[in-house]
Amino acid sequence: LDLLDLRPASHRTPGLCRCMGPAPERNLRTVAGCSGSGGATDSSPCSGAVSESSCSFSGVELTEAMAMLEPEVWGTEPRFPKAGRFRPRLRYLWLRCLGGVFKVCSCRCRKPHDWEDPTVFARGTVQPHTMLAASGASPRVDGSAVAAPSVHEQDACNRLVLSGETWRFRFFEVLSPEQVPAQEFSGKDVKDEEWDEVSVPSNWQIQGYEAPIYTNMAYPFTGCPLRKPKLEPNPFGVYRRRFKLPLTFVQEKRQIRLILHGVSCACYCWLDGHLLGYHQDSGTPVEFDATKALEHGAAGTEHVLVVQVLKWCDGSFLEDQDTWWLNGIYRDVVLYSLPADNAIEDYRITTTVDPPFNDGADAEVSVEIAVRCRDACSVRCVVQDGTDAVAEGVQGLADDAQGHLCMMFGHGVKVFHVRMRMLRPKKWCPEQPKLYTLTMELRRGGSVLQTERWDFGVRDVRISNAVLQLNGTPLLVNGANRVEMHPIRGKALTDDDVLEDLIMMKRFNFNAVRTAHCPNKLSFYHFCDQLGLLVVDEANSECHGLAMLASVSYLQCDPAWRGAYLHRVEAMFGRDKNFTCIIGWSLGNESGFGSNWQACCDWLRACDTSRFVQFESGEAHGDATLIMGDGRHPASDIVCPMYADPERCMALAASETRPVIMCEYSHAMGNSNGALHLFYDVFHSKEYPTVQGGFIWDFVDQGLRAPRKPKPRSLEDYHLKGNFGYGGDFGSTSGAADKWFCCNGLVNTDRRPKPAMEECKYLMQPLTMSASLSELGVKTRVQHRTGRSLRGLMLRWELIDDCRVITLRGSQKLSDACDQDLELHCSGYCKGTGGLWVRVWTELEEPTNYAPKGHVVAQECVMLRAPAPAGASHQSPRACIGSRAPLATALPTGVASVKHQGDGDEVTIQGSSYTASIRGGLLVGLRDVAGREILSTGHGASLDHSFWRAGTDNDRGGADVFFPQLAGILPRSMLSFARQWTDVGLENLTSRVRDYSWQGEELTVDSDHGPERGRHFFRSSVRMSFGASSVTLRVKIVPNHRSGIVKLPCLPRIGLRFVLAPEFSRVSWLGRGPHECYPDRKASAPWCVHQRSVEDMHFPYMVPGECGGVADVHWVALQSGDGRGLLLEYSSDDAPPPEEGLLSGSPGARPAGMSGAQVSAARWTPSMAHAAAHDFELLPAGRHCSEEPVVLHVDTAHSGIGGTGGATDAVWRFHKQYLIDPRTEEWNYTVTLTPLGPKQLEVAAGE
């Protein structure tokens, strides 16, 4: 029964979850044999000697945690419905039996080392708590920048920051840390003058001491947690820092604490040769009591801090988090002091808002303050709005910490309870993140012993009728997952780095962040409080690698690991519990579910009833998970699946009685995020109110720059010559198996927003806007989605004609209402012919802490009058009738002169504005009247058919990515699109002319397109009509249904490829734009006239592929600086594709909703892009981009880019309605080529 762990906690064998109570005079945890005084055991950390005691959590029994879940804890009106519980059944029993077998088979005679023993995770550490004022100042946002924090003199005097300077460092590349006795580096008198100097905070891989490692799932070290882990090789680094204490630390009796805010992955600490303790958990701070180690030092005495950082420990099995494995002291190190006898150790702030929870409701502020006191003390609390006091309370009596307060604050403290009423306080929300300041004073008699300050917001989070509400209003989570990573500094982010990411999120209308997959740097939460970003705080726990053994829940079902899991949850909650921005707790990521996770759930719910608890890795059946969860475990307050598609979200809404908020969705790897607008159709639908958004995976690419050796002197000393790399770029052990799977963000490594960010901003914008013609001009309606006031916004508008000329513009201040109708008086400008659009946008009237005045919050572009059609209307609908380009002068009519030469194989056609050359039925040259080249042959044939594209990351996504050695035996459905296209040879098709014939000025060419050997894949028929001023290509494509393409899930593209002279670098078009857009990602790209350069159309994704395209194009012109160039006009006689729908649908002749051509222009061919491993490798060294010919694609059909995800599909799933069906009967389209002279087509520059 002990092995299966099925009995109630109160009846288990003592020791499984036993409390090790700390000394009452200090708020210290005594874990795994630490002394009650707070010092660690005297045994050497390398000796392997550990206490036989089992570890515990928070100084209370697990049975006491369970007792906390009685109904009275939740109150008469709970904010969250009581969740279900873990249901141990067959899967759980199988994992427990498996664990028993492994433990019997792996018995050892010796005791494991600390770093290999899951029951040892902390020695001599202080109970996790809110960061006190003396330990660090709260950073502030001022004008989108980090402002100097308001530091109170008393707090500054009681703080000594040890980081921010160079430390002595030595790297020990050993098999195991036990090989190097601690005496060689831990003593105060160790000679370290010859050691290297490194900056702290930092990661030692970023400083050249080792190659960084990236893995998605696999553990990058030997050892298996199914038995006692043995981690070898296990190198370590030693940091040494000399310092002197300030006079304020020694002039009076004070308690001195040492905080290391982030160390990866485990560390021992010595101070003046005295061992302070041991800790593991890379995501949360570790704090030691340094009083005894420093008590004999006088003012001016030099002290030495030594930190031994291990690369691996058993806790590494809980940190397999789809990111780089980087080690070192990567966050700040601080010494601070508190009064010795009477001091505030911790506090908890909660707000309770009266119904109906809006700005007009009163609220109660409850403050629980844990005090270590030997004298009679009192506590005074004051809530201030600026300098005005709005609430005050005094408490003179304190109680011993019991129940959930003991769990929260630990033993040996007194708890003061102060409750204050606030009358109609402004509520904190993403749109108006109002913060108040709480000042807490610990008093003895008439003197103030200690002052603590905290900025907090008043807000209410609850689930009502299966809908998550914020301040009584349904909440839509416009979120992103954010991994703490910087391309230059690794995990050692500065406050400026953090703020840069959050500012970008706010400017692109995100309102929520999930801390994937561990608690973030402390300033992150302060910034989120001030900016109004909602946070789901995630514990530092993920063991994704065990899913490869179908045992992802093993550690969650093993009692030996329970303390480690609870420690991580407790550390997260202890530090972050007072941040207003945090609306929910996440137990971790991709780790299965078991009795240990249930204990974590119980602990959190006992301590916090004001936030929801979520966990993705459980399943609806409630038992342990073996491979992947579905986000539906009954212990989770919300349903939080991964990569559910819109159809799955709708099904969950129908079957669940909880909110549905995806913890990850719309995988943003490379050119991705297709069909994002369909998710928002569901999010905004009144039919599915419980589907409330989610967190896109993820925010920023994790590209990295790493040196080859310490102290690099030039770019030659860096891998890739200083360019950003991914897994495998830094050596064979740096993650070659998972390659660039770390680069799946909405933002490039260098923080350049990808085009998909424009889609996010548009879909997440808080306003809806519409416009239509009226008698007075244009009628516009603006409405806030959440019913908030439009105050503070300015509406601006402009009329645009089909040459992008702004004919009129205006502005108007919006009212305090939540919606407003406006008349734009411009009737005189709305008459006439040709295309006419109105662009309306709202911008900030005044600067905010995240954006300057004039920042665009929302925008819309509406076509008021369609441009002139290119052809006559038909009775039957057509896929694209086309539109006429607004040429300045009329084109000559008539036909061109056709002149045959030699045997008739070579033909010259002379028009009024061009000369065309035909050889063997192919158009091989096109020149203007001056004989200058228009079509080029620099990148292959000047004109050819195109059926393949350079693979996007989603195209390349499949089981063959992770298991390339099995690609030959895997089912075809598991292979990536790119692999299937390559297997049939789609990228190497050869065009062979079957026949061609002339009839007057018309040439008809029939060709086959296929591999060198075997059946052709496509048969084309092109009818070329040579007019006086233009060449018209009428194209018919028929696929061969008896060839290999019929087995393909889809085709990449059907279209033409042109190669133009290098000088034609300016691109103008009528279609979607101006940013990159595709059939399944174009909601944010208005259909209008746009202009960009060829270079600007390219986006530098980490790994090159199909990119830079624009959708629904009717005409496109490529011109040189003097206006010469080529105009291409497109139309299609095929039936229009079906309308877009929420269901995935099925592939068709053209993607759903496609109403024009897909066009792209680049300086390289698809083959060149597909072959390049990095964007900087697109062109050979020495070749300049502007000298390369322009490769132009005009596609009548082009598959979407995917990234939707699905309940059973991979993250790169494509919505099938946006794919091209290879079983289509035929495609018919027309492209007209018109050479342009100077000033013949003038489109206004800019957007």
Side-chain angles (χ1 to χ4, degrees), residues 1020-1037:
S1020 67
S1021 176
V1022 180
R1023 184 156 52 99
M1024 302 184 194
S1025 300
F1026 296 93
S1029 57
S1030 61
V1031 181
T1032 300
L1033 311 178
R1034 294 177 177 86
V1035 183
K1036 179 179 181 179
I1037 302 293

Side-chain angles (χ1 to χ4, degrees), residues 490-538:
K491 300 290 184 181
L493 277 72
T494 65
D495 288 350
D496 289 315
D497 296 334
V498 174
L499 185 60
E500 180 184 7
D501 286 354
L502 300 183
I503 289 291
M504 189 180 300
M505 285 186 174
K506 284 291 289 186
R507 291 182 178 180
F508 281 86
N509 291 329
F510 287 86
N511 68 2
V513 193
R514 176 178 174 231
T515 62
H517 295 292
C518 67
N520 277 203
K521 181 181 172 74
L522 195 65
S523 61
F524 165 86
Y525 303 92
H526 287 292
F527 293 147
C528 288
D529 270 358
Q530 298 169 54
L531 294 171
L533 282 167
L534 308 169
V535 174
V536 171
D537 206 11
E538 188 155 271

Side-chain angles (χ1 to χ4, degrees), residues 300-316:
T301 301
E302 185 178 69
H303 302 278
V304 179
L305 171 65
V306 180
V307 184
Q308 179 191 17
V309 181
L310 309 184
K311 183 173 183 178
W312 308 121
C313 67
D314 56 89
S316 300

Side-chain angles (χ1 to χ4, degrees), residues 156 422 448 539 677 680 747 867 919 934 1186 1240:
M422 296 181 67
V448 177
H677 63 291
Y680 273 83
V747 177
R919 183 182 303 120
I934 297 177
S1186 63
Q1240 199 164 0

Side-chain angles (χ1 to χ4, degrees), residues 914-916 924-928 932-935 1031 1126 1233 1235:
Y914 70 90
T915 300
V924 295
L926 186 67
R927 297 177 178 274
D928 62 15
R932 290 171 294 196
E933 186 180 68
I934 297 177
L935 292 184
V1031 181
L1126 182 66
L1233 314 180

